[in-house]
């Protein structure tokens, strides 16, 4: 079985140069890796390049929910709700270790966006459209029951609440697990490799790219019958390689989330609530933290350089004070934060929250296929659709889509109904290895069926680093493409968002280990250290 190892990078580059692929995907977010997995399991030879790290853009900076699109009922996007609801269940069954059902409370107040009738009807319709299983269907609460569920909710004018199920996920880990599965099935994926130009055949059609290894500036060509642009917020940048883009284009919407320790924001129940300006915001407890978001404002500029502003922070803090008036938090108690963009297809005259999240696919005169828009929840269906579209390009019949019942890496634990039994078993094993129960439970949830490979590194841990953190690093280097400290701290562990004190405490040790194992030059180590410090600053301050 092929492994997504950081140590195989040069071998991967040589393979990319020497092979002519059926399909080349540009972009390693959830959309791109989903396309790679769908294509390789249908019998296509597949390559994928990502100019940063996998999930470095939108796919690591969402609200971290695989949700069924309840908010789209307000916009009467019935088809969207129906499809996302069904896809949500598929994502969960194929990767239950990275997707967790959580009951979500939607409180309603006198004069608010929702009332008892509209909430009841909306959630009932949602259950029907999304084909929600019986054990997860909505139920309604009166005011006292709502406060019993979550005492921090605003008591004044409270009328009641609706409760329904959403699916919490780690968006970056979901992306990495899908990417690893594509590699295991035979696809060739590489991060930190940028498409800088296109190659053309005699008919003027694109048949590959000029690529650059961002880590060492090595340039090389990759040949492919078809090229798909799935670069998320950067799809227009990829299109512009050919010159000026016309027709459809993206508009970016910025979303910010703030993280608090449960000691200052002791939320026990996930909440979806309306704000005074009519928007909806999530407040979600997660592993001893509470995170709240998101904002929704147009953004111009490179998402790689995006900063959180004081206005972003104030908006979310005001929303918290509005719905949770007894939670007296201030900016000083923000532990971490993240900002991301939603790549939306431009619709003239609409505010960010009004623009549809649907995906679209189009093709240039030179044959470049571009896919844009869409939601994390619908990544599998989007991939199926785009591969169906290009299937006729090949002189053979492709296999039908295989991903509906394909377990992603780490997901083969005997079905979602077996998750808690599996976790308990792995916790017992982890404790025998010297971990605390909490540490072992975290690793079992984080890595699923792959956790034994993580456990195998525990005995090697140095004395100046927690054994679990060391094991995660070694597993990340050997099996998860880790090349950069930000890959590890942001997208493989989420520690920079949800355990930032550990990042600050152990960053020097991690940097030293990575430098030794990946044989960084002094200049590389200095650069990567600076880039890690920048991300810590971005997560803890506002402009």
């Amino acid at each position: 079985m092929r492994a997504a190892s950081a140590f195989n990078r040069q071998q991967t580059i040589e393979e990319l140069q020497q092979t002519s692929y059926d399909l080349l995907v540009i972009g390693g977010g959830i959309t791109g890796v989903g396309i790679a997995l769908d294509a390789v399991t249908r019998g296509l030879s597949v390559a994928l390049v990502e100019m940063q790290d996998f999930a470095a853009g939108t796919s690591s900076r969402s609200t971290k929910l695989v949700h069924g699109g309840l908010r789209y009922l307000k916009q009467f996007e019935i088809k969207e709700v129906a499809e996302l609801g069904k896809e949500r269940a598929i994502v969960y069954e194929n990767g239950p270790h990275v997707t967790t059902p959580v009951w979500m409370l939607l409180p309603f107040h006198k004069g608010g966006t929702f009332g008892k009738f509209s909430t009841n009807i909306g959630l009932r319709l949602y259950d029907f459209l999304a084909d929600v299983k019986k054990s997860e269907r909505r139920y309604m609460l009166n005011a006292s029951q709502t406060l019993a569920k979550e005492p921090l909710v605003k008591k004044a004018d409270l009328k009641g609440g609706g409760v329904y199920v959403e699916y919490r996920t780690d968006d970056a880990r979901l992306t990495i697990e899908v990417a690893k599965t594509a590699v295991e099935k035979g696809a060739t994926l590489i991060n930190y490799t940028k498409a800088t130009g296109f190659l053309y055949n005699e008919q003027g059609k694109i048949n590959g790219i000029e690529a650059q290894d961002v880590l060492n500036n090595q340039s090389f060509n990759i040949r492919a019958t078809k090229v798909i642009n799935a670069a998320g917020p950067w799809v227009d940048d990829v299109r512009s390689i050919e010159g000026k883009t016309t027709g459809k284009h993206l508009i970016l919407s910025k979303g910010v989330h703030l993280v608090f320790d449960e000691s200052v924001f002791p939320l026990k129940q996930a909440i979806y609530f309306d704000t005074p300006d009519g928007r909806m915001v999530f407040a979600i407890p997660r592993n001893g933290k509470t995170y709240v978001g998101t904002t929704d404002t147009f953004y111009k500029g490179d998402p790689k350089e995006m900063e959180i502003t004081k206005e972003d922070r104030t908006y979310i803090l005001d929303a918290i004070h509005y719905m949770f008036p007894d939670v007296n938090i201030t900016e000083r108690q923000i532990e971490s934060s993240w900002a991301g963009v939603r790549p939306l297809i431009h619709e003239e005259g609409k505010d960010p929250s009004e623009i549809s999240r649907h995906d679209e696919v189009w093709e240039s005169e030179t044959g470049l296929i571009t896919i844009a828009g869409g939601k994390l929840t619908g990544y599998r269906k989007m991939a199926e659709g785009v591969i169906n579209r290009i299937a006729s390009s090949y002189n053979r019949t492709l296999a039908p889509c295989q991903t509906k019942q394909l377990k992603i890496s780490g997901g083969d634990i005997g079905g979602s109904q077996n998750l808690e039994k599996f976790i308990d078993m792995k916790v017992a094993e982890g404790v025998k290895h010297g971990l605390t129960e909490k540490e072992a439970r975290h690793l079992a949830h984080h890595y699923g069926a792959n956790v034994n490979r993580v456990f195998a590194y525990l005995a090697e841990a140095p004395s100046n680093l927690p054994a679990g953190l060391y094991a995660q690093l070694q597993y990340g280097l050997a099996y998860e493409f880790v090349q950069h400290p930000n890959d590890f701290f942001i997208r493989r562990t989420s520690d920079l968002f949800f355990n930032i004190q550990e990042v600050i405490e152990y960053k020097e040790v991690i940097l030293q280990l990575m430098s030794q194992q990946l044989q960084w030059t002094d200049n590389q180590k200095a650069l990567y250290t600076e880039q890690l410090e920048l991300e810590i600053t971005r997560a803890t301050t506002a402009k």
Side-chain angles (χ1 to χ4, degrees):
M1 183 181 292
R2 292 157 59 102
S5 173
F7 305 114
N8 296 341
R9 185 174 182 82
Q10 191 55 42
Q11 177 184 332
T12 300
I13 290 173
E14 291 170 6
E15 182 180 333
L16 289 167
Q17 293 180 80
Q18 295 166 5
T19 308
S20 181
Y21 294 91
D22 292 321
L23 177 65
L24 171 63
V25 182
I26 301 171
I30 189 64
T31 302
V33 300
I35 291 168
L37 178 58
D38 188 287
V40 75
T41 53
R42 294 212 210 180
L44 296 177
S45 58
V46 180
L48 181 148
V49 297
E50 163 56 49
M51 69 173 179
Q52 302 179 91
D53 180 35
F54 301 102
T58 303
S59 297
S60 60
R61 296 173 179 272
S62 72
T63 305
K64 304 185 186 302
L65 291 172
V66 178
H67 61 81
L70 177 64
R71 65 182 290 266
Y72 305 133
L73 282 178
K74 288 177 68 178
Q75 298 164 304
F76 301 103
E77 295 187 46
I78 303 301
K79 181 182 177 184
E80 196 89 357
V81 174
E83 188 168 279
L84 287 175
K86 293 178 177 65
E87 283 300 305
R88 182 183 69 168
I90 295 169
V91 174
Y92 174 50
E93 288 301 326
N94 289 340
H97 63 303
V98 289
T99 310
T100 305
V102 293
W103 287 100
M104 186 75 64
L105 172 63
L106 200 164
F108 48 87
H109 293 77
K110 181 180 179 180
T113 305
F114 294 98
K116 180 178 180 180
F117 178 77
S118 60
T119 301
N120 191 11
I121 293 298
L123 292 180
R124 187 185 293 270
L125 180 59
Y126 180 71
D127 283 348
F128 172 74
L129 291 172
D131 198 21
V132 174
K133 54 188 177 185
K134 192 172 183 179
S135 62
E136 296 182 357
R137 290 177 188 166
R138 67 95 187 91
Y139 60 91
M140 302 298 292
L141 304 174
N142 61 30
S144 61
Q145 291 169 327
T146 300
L147 287 174
K149 182 75 71 176
E150 181 46 72
L152 294 177
V153 166
K154 181 174 65 171
K155 301 174 181 63
D157 296 322
L158 178 66
K159 306 295 285 184
V163 183
Y164 69 105
V165 167
E166 287 283 21
Y167 284 58
R168 194 183 71 202
T169 192
D170 184 320
D171 47 6
R173 284 222 58 82
L174 175 62
T175 303
I176 294 300
E177 301 291 30
V178 174
K180 286 158 58 183
T181 311
V183 171
E184 291 166 4
K185 297 296 182 182
T188 305
L189 277 64
I190 190 167
N191 51 1
Y192 295 103
T193 301
K194 184 175 183 178
T196 57
F198 290 114
L199 306 176
Y200 299 87
N201 62 20
E202 293 178 355
Q203 290 74 44
K205 298 293 185 181
I206 290 174
N207 68 347
I209 65 167
E210 299 169 355
Q212 182 182 33
D213 178 356
V214 176
L215 300 183
N216 65 16
N217 292 322
Q218 177 183 357
S219 296
F220 55 96
N221 293 341
I222 308 173
R223 298 279 179 181
T225 303
K226 297 294 291 184
V227 176
I228 293 179
N229 170 17
W234 295 275
V235 296
D236 286 343
D237 291 350
V238 172
R239 293 170 66 211
S240 70
I241 294 172
E242 290 198 275
K244 186 176 180 181
T245 58
T246 57
K248 291 189 179 84
H249 64 279
L250 293 189
I251 188 164
L252 303 181
S253 168
K254 178 183 180 183
V256 171
H257 297 77
L258 304 182
V259 181
F260 305 88
D261 190 78
E262 66 179 358
S263 62
V264 298
F265 194 167
L267 192 72
K268 66 177 185 178
Q269 165 69 55
I271 308 285
Y272 188 35
F273 65 95
D274 57 347
T275 60
D277 62 353
R279 288 196 62 255
M280 300 297 294
V281 169
F282 289 99
I284 301 173
R286 170 177 164 157
N287 300 334
K289 310 295 178 184
T290 295
Y291 70 97
V292 186
T294 179
T295 60
D296 201 356
T297 54
F298 286 132
Y299 177 78
K300 293 182 179 179
D302 189 340
K304 294 196 295 290
E305 308 300 324
M306 186 166 42
E307 306 280 359
I308 295 173
T309 66
K310 284 184 168 40
E311 289 78 12
D312 296 326
R313 281 185 163 191
T314 297
Y315 181 88
I316 296 175
L317 287 170
D318 286 348
I320 294 169
H321 296 149
Y322 170 76
M323 185 52 63
F324 309 100
D326 295 334
V327 179
N328 298 312
I329 52 176
T330 67
E331 280 201 12
R332 291 191 302 275
Q333 292 161 313
I334 298 170
E335 197 167 274
S336 184
S337 56
W338 70 87
V341 294
R342 309 168 192 86
L344 309 175
I345 298 167
H346 180 259
E347 295 181 42
E348 195 65 45
K350 287 193 175 182
D351 291 331
S353 297
E354 297 174 324
I355 296 177
S356 172
R357 268 52 171 174
H358 70 278
D359 61 285
E360 288 194 35
V361 180
W362 64 95
E363 185 171 356
S364 73
E365 292 181 0
T366 54
L368 176 67
I369 303 288
T370 293
I371 181 167
K375 296 286 293 179
L376 178 143
T377 309
Y379 84 88
R380 190 205 66 84
K381 194 68 176 177
M382 290 164 60
E384 179 182 357
V386 76
I387 298 303
N388 285 345
R389 176 171 177 146
I390 66 169
S392 61
S393 303
Y394 303 100
N395 295 322
R396 62 189 189 276
T397 301
L398 303 187
C401 178
Q402 306 289 303
T403 58
K404 191 170 184 178
Q405 295 177 315
L406 177 66
K407 304 298 183 186
I408 62 173
S409 184
D412 193 4
I413 60 168
S416 61
Q417 73 282 354
N418 196 48
L419 178 63
E420 289 311 312
K421 181 180 177 182
F422 170 85
I423 295 296
D424 288 343
M425 179 177 66
K426 294 305 172 184
V427 167
E429 292 177 20
V431 169
K432 288 180 181 178
H433 283 288
L435 296 173
T436 66
E437 182 177 334
K438 181 179 179 181
E439 290 169 337
R441 188 169 299 278
H442 170 71
L443 293 180
H445 268 292
H446 207 65
Y447 295 99
N450 293 319
V451 73
N452 282 352
R453 286 179 169 169
V454 181
F455 286 166
Y457 293 105
L458 290 169
E460 306 170 8
S463 59
N464 59 347
L465 198 63
L469 189 62
Y470 173 82
Q472 286 183 280
L473 176 63
Q474 297 308 311
Y475 179 78
L477 291 167
Y479 295 99
E480 294 193 337
F481 306 99
V482 169
Q483 295 284 347
H484 192 293
N486 289 341
D487 302 346
F488 179 65
F489 282 128
I490 297 176
R491 293 172 287 275
R492 304 305 183 276
T493 65
S494 295
D495 282 351
L496 193 134
F497 298 149
F498 296 104
N499 196 5
I500 196 166
Q501 291 308 313
E502 184 173 81
V503 176
I504 293 169
E505 183 173 357
Y506 295 110
K507 62 185 178 180
E508 298 300 335
V509 183
I510 295 291
L511 283 161
Q512 186 60 33
L513 283 170
M514 292 186 69
S515 180
Q516 292 169 353
Q517 293 183 255
L518 295 175
Q519 300 181 327
W520 293 343
T521 65
D522 289 344
N523 286 341
Q524 282 178 313
K525 185 178 180 183
L527 176 62
Y528 299 161
T529 301
E530 179 184 339
Q531 290 171 338
L532 173 58
E533 294 292 348
L534 175 61
E535 290 301 330
I536 292 172
T537 299
R538 282 177 170 162
T540 55
T541 61
K543 289 263 177 160

